[in-house]
Amino acid sequence: GAGVSQSPSNKVTEKGKDVELRCDPISGHTALYWYRQSLGQGLEFLIYFQGNSAPDKSGLPSDRFSAERTGGSVSTLTIQRTQQEDSAVYLCASSLDTWGYGYTFGSGTRLTVV
Amino acid sequence: QQQVKQSPQSLIVQKGGISIINCAYENTAFDYFPWYQQFPGKGPALLIAIRPDVSEKKEGRFTISFNKSAKQFSLHIMDSQPGDSATYFCAASITSGTYKYIFGTGTRLKVLA
């Protein structure tokens, strides 16, 4: 597609429920990233995919967080047993596998845990 | 060592004025420094980026100044316009490896008409 697409744009969930956030990167972009943006904070790195593999998962805050990418395209970020501190905007970005290109971000999924 | 410190947190500038946002880093392995602009409800968008082998890069009204010895870089917005009102993030990365970005905490810019 023309840009990075994320769904849903907004998600309200009850504490303890599982949620899945979806990211459709730009066609042909091999690198995919998930970041989290909490209110008034910068962007916090979560995980990086190159193709379908995730060589850097160092930013995942706990084992409740997981992500996968299939077909070198769509990625899903799953948060199990959500907690109130998980409330944030979850941003996905993709890039060509070349350092000279900056990321292209999606508009994010705003997750609210009540 | 992985932090990027950004200041100020917020900035108010008159239309036509110069907006200046500063960032500082510790890790000398960083070799790519982008700036992102974010409007409410949107994802950040790449504005301009620089590598440490140059001291300045200019694109239109936007200029990055880079001081390698001081480990500092800054964004200058010339002739600031109300449409520039947004949140600006600096970032740093090491381009060998995962290209993971370390972001600053952001500067909320408001340009008064």
Side-chain angles (χ1 to χ4, degrees):
Chain A
V4 177
S5 178
Q6 291 188 246
S7 61
S9 55
N10 281 284
K11 176 74 176 178
V12 179
T13 190
E14 292 182 350
K15 178 181 172 182
K17 301 281 190 183
D18 298 351
V19 294
E20 286 188 352
L21 313 179
R22 177 187 168 106
C23 173
D24 254 300
I26 292 173
S27 179
H29 280 195
T30 58
L32 185 147
Y33 303 79
W34 285 97
Y35 282 79
R36 179 168 71 175
Q37 184 173 25
S38 302
L39 188 64
Q41 301 294 314
L43 285 75
E44 174 191 13
F45 169 79
L46 296 178
I47 188 169
Y48 156 68
F49 285 94
Q50 180 57 246
N52 291 335
S53 64
D56 191 346
K57 307 178 184 180
S58 62
L60 294 178
S62 74
D63 59 8
R64 296 186 296 105
F65 288 73
S66 63
E68 66 174 9
R69 188 180 184 193
T70 56
S73 182
V74 172
S75 176
T76 303
L77 177 69
T78 300
I79 308 173
Q80 295 179 311
R81 304 180 303 280
T82 51
Q83 303 295 313
Q84 287 186 331
E85 61 262 29
D86 300 334
S87 295
V89 176
Y90 289 82
L91 290 160
C92 174
S94 68
S95 72
L96 291 172
D97 187 20
T98 303
W99 73 265
Y101 292 89
Y103 299 170
T104 301
F105 279 92
S107 293
T109 294
R110 180 176 297 278
L111 175 67
T112 304
V113 181
V114 298
Chain B
Q1 257 221 335
Q2 283 290 83
Q3 274 189 321
V4 176
K5 295 183 180 179
Q6 184 172 348
S7 63
Q9 191 173 14
S10 63
L11 182 61
I12 299 175
V13 174
Q14 293 288 337
K15 179 182 175 181
I18 302 173
S19 304
I20 302 174
I21 304 170
N22 301 298
C23 286
Y25 64 97
E26 288 295 323
N27 189 347
T28 56
F30 288 141
D31 59 358
Y32 181 65
F33 302 88
W35 284 88
Y36 278 80
Q37 179 188 56
Q38 185 178 31
F39 293 104
K42 302 292 185 184
L46 179 65
L47 194 60
I48 187 172
I50 198 169
R51 294 199 77 185
D53 50 355
V54 298
S55 60
E56 185 175 282
K57 183 174 181 180
K58 184 175 181 179
E59 289 184 3
R61 296 184 295 109
F62 300 93
T63 300
I64 299 178
S65 297
F66 188 86
N67 186 330
K68 189 173 181 178
S69 60
K71 291 184 283 187
Q72 295 175 348
F73 58 110
S74 60
L75 176 69
H76 292 63
I77 306 174
M78 312 301 288
D79 187 27
S80 299
Q81 299 296 312
D84 297 331
S85 297
T87 300
Y88 293 81
F89 293 95
C90 63
S93 75
I94 301 168
T95 58
S96 58
T98 67
Y99 313 140
K100 173 176 66 179
Y101 288 178
I102 306 299
F103 282 90
T105 51
T107 296
R108 184 171 291 186
L109 171 66
K110 183 168 186 176
V111 182
L112 302 176

